[in-house]
Amino acid sequence: MEPVTVIGLGLMGKALAEAFREAGHPTTAWNRTAGKAVYQVASVSEAVSASQLVIACLTTYEATMSALAPADLSGRTLITLNTGDPAGQCH
Ligand SMILES: NC(=O)c1ccc[n+]([C@@H]2O[C@H](COP(=O)([O-])OP(=O)(O)OC[C@H]3O[C@@H](n4cnc5c(N)ncnc54)[C@H](OP(=O)(O)O)[C@@H]3O)[C@@H](O)[C@H]2O)c1
């Protein structure tokens, strides 16, 4: 099974991460606030490096880019599920 990283363990992110785990994907997660899940790692860089597929489920595009800034996304597939509009996300 493909490893998956989930960034953000709010209502949506935690549900996504649990669904991936229940489906058998090795799942790594990171959340700004610690303690949302036992499989949460300490840094966003560690979380991103764990999987080729990274799914971010934060509030806004700006929050997503800010949270991911320390991580090296090269070679990763990033899917963002934040709220926004096309104009605000074409950077
Ligand atoms: N819940 C729903 O039914 C639903 C339905 C459709 C769409 N959505 C959309 O899905 C997205 C996530 O929704 P949600 O319900 O999971 O939201 P939520 O429960 O409020 O969780 C928000 C998440 O974003 C993180 N976050 C916010 N600002 C951040 C920042 N500056 N840096 C790092 N992390 C930050 C929070 O981290 P902390 O824990 O550290 O605060 C938390 O993990 C939103 O865009 C929402 O509009 C949600």
Side-chain angles (χ1 to χ4, degrees):
M1 283 287 212
E2 183 83 14
V4 178
T5 287
V6 177
I7 304 297
L9 292 168
L11 288 174
M12 290 281 285
K14 191 158 187 192
L16 283 168
E18 294 297 345
F20 281 121
R21 277 166 60 91
E22 285 169 20
H25 294 274
T27 304
T28 303
W30 176 83
N31 193 69
R32 176 179 60 179
T33 305
K36 294 276 179 89
V38 292
Y39 48 91
Q40 180 181 347
V41 295
S43 75
V44 70
S45 298
E46 188 181 348
V48 166
S49 67
S51 313
Q52 203 275 330
L53 177 59
V54 178
I55 299 175
C57 193
L58 305 180
T59 47
T60 64
Y61 178 80
E62 289 73 20
T64 302
M65 291 299 104
S66 168
L68 287 168
D72 179 6
L73 288 165
S74 54
R76 301 290 189 259
T77 299
L78 171 65
I79 299 173
T80 63
L81 300 173
N82 52 269
T83 294
D85 59 78
Q89 300 190 44
C90 292
H91 295 285

